[in-house]
């Protein structure tokens, strides 16, 4: 029997990360932060002097993705041995990741790496296309939504707490641009899987969201 996967997809700053980590802890499952993979790859390509408009073949781009020298070590993310956990959270890396993520060669090159996270006893996979493309056989797929202004408020608060100065209007505009790009791209657009459960987290506490997902999870496990 395949190791079970619970997928959590949704737009930027919808609270997927917090919800997924909490679920992984409660169920004692592994955790895949696929957005972090896209961010690290964007940083790696940026450091090679490449940008989303660079003239580079799909073959080379896919190879960069396949061979990305990244290690996930608990909460630390190491790129060629350097801890880049803070660096990849910058808004610039999020935007760059979103632009590179529109390229099929990049998405294809990262598939194998994402599948490698599927280990017993189970996996919480967090991203945009976890339920539609990467783990279409997951017994439970959750699509988390939240009002865009509420997401911008949360993200502003998070960044300020980290000592990073932000402008709410710029951040809101950036979130809207990123949503539009993620939803309209030709490959693996941000859409709920046809069998996904939609969870509106706008006005739920993290604990309420966790309880709802755990309830769905135990119901789907009973059916399996
Ligand atoms: O989730 P996070 O904001 O860290 O992801 C950064 C960017 O990576 C997203 O805006 C999205 O374009 C891309 N991404 C993706 N598919 C995933 C995860 C992230 O396209 N599964």
């Amino acid at each position: 029997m395949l190791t079970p996967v619970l997928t959590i997809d949704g737009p930027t700053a919808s609270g997927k990360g917090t919800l997924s980590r909490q679920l992984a802890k409660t169920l004692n499952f592994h955790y895949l932060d696929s957005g972090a993979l896209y961010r690290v790859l964007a940083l790696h390509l940026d450091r090679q002097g490449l940008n989303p408009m660079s003239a580079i073949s799909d073959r080379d781009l896919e190879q960069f993705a396949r061979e990305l020298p990244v290690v996930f070590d608990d909460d630390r993310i190491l790129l060629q041995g350097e801890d880049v956990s803070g660096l990849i959270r910058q808004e610039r890396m999020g935007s760059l990741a979103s632009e590179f993520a529109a390229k099929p060669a990049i998405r294809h090159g990262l598939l194998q790496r994402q599948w490698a996270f599927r280990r017993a006893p189970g996996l919480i996979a967090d991203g945009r296309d976890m339920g539609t493309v990467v783990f279409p056989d997951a017994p439970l797929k959750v699509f988390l939504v939240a009002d865009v202004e509420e997401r911008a408020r949360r993200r502003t608060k998070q960044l300020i707490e980290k000592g990073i100065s932000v402008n709410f209007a710029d951040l809101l505009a950036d979130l809207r641009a990123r949503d539009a790009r993620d939803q309209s791209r030709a490959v693996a657009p941000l859409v709920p899987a046809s069998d996904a459960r939609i969870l509106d987290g706008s006005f739920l506490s993290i604990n309420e969201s966790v309880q709802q997902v755990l309830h769905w999870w135990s119901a789907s496990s009973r059916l399996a």
Side-chain angles (χ1 to χ4, degrees):
M1 209 177 94
L2 272 176
T3 302
V5 185
L6 194 171
T7 61
I8 310 278
D9 288 304
T12 303
S14 54
K16 284 175 296 127
T18 315
L19 173 63
S20 302
R21 274 177 229 276
Q22 199 62 44
L23 286 165
K25 220 183 203 173
T26 310
L27 294 167
N28 206 16
F29 278 12
H30 297 282
Y31 170 53
L32 164 61
D33 175 0
S34 62
L37 268 180
Y38 283 91
R39 286 170 183 263
V40 178
L41 181 56
L43 174 63
H44 186 54
L45 293 170
D46 188 47
R47 286 180 168 177
Q48 314 295 316
L50 295 166
N51 65 59
M53 306 303 285
S54 297
I56 171 172
S57 72
D58 282 352
R59 204 161 152 265
D60 290 347
L61 212 47
E62 184 168 336
Q63 195 169 350
F64 268 115
R66 272 186 207 283
E67 295 173 1
L68 180 68
V70 67
V71 173
F72 286 80
D73 174 24
D74 281 329
D75 277 348
R76 292 190 325 150
I77 300 175
L78 307 173
L79 174 62
Q80 282 170 322
E82 175 194 346
D83 186 349
V84 294
S85 329
L87 210 53
I88 60 161
R89 294 296 154 202
Q90 291 176 359
E91 292 303 298
R92 185 174 106 75
M93 281 306 141
S95 298
L96 206 54
S98 159
E99 288 181 55
F100 276 119
K103 297 184 179 294
I106 293 272
R107 308 199 71 84
H108 202 247
L110 288 180
L111 269 179
Q112 201 72 46
R113 310 192 71 113
Q114 298 177 80
W115 290 333
F117 280 79
R118 188 174 196 168
R119 285 179 285 122
L123 176 69
I124 305 292
D126 155 354
R128 304 290 189 292
D129 60 342
M130 299 294 99
T132 48
V133 176
V134 185
F135 302 108
D137 64 329
L140 175 62
K141 301 171 185 176
V142 176
F143 194 84
L144 188 62
V145 294
D147 174 68
V148 69
E149 296 205 1
E150 184 56 30
R151 287 190 276 135
R153 265 192 291 278
R154 283 187 202 165
R155 178 54 61 94
T156 307
K157 192 166 161 261
Q158 278 171 0
L159 292 174
I160 288 173
E161 278 166 9
K162 285 188 194 157
I164 302 170
S165 67
V166 276
N167 173 298
F168 179 78
D170 289 349
L171 203 124
L172 182 61
D174 182 62
L175 275 191
R176 288 202 162 112
R178 227 169 337 142
D179 282 358
R181 188 163 46 234
D182 289 351
Q183 283 158 358
S184 64
R185 68 181 171 221
V187 277
L190 172 67
V191 285
S194 57
D195 52 349
R197 301 272 200 163
I198 310 290
L199 178 63
D200 187 341
S202 309
F203 304 105
L204 294 181
S205 69
I206 175 67
N207 192 41
E208 287 167 328
S209 300
V210 170
Q211 292 312 318
Q212 175 62 76
V213 177
L214 288 176
H215 175 72
W216 285 333
W217 180 247
S218 59
S220 75
S221 308
R222 275 197 300 276
L223 289 176

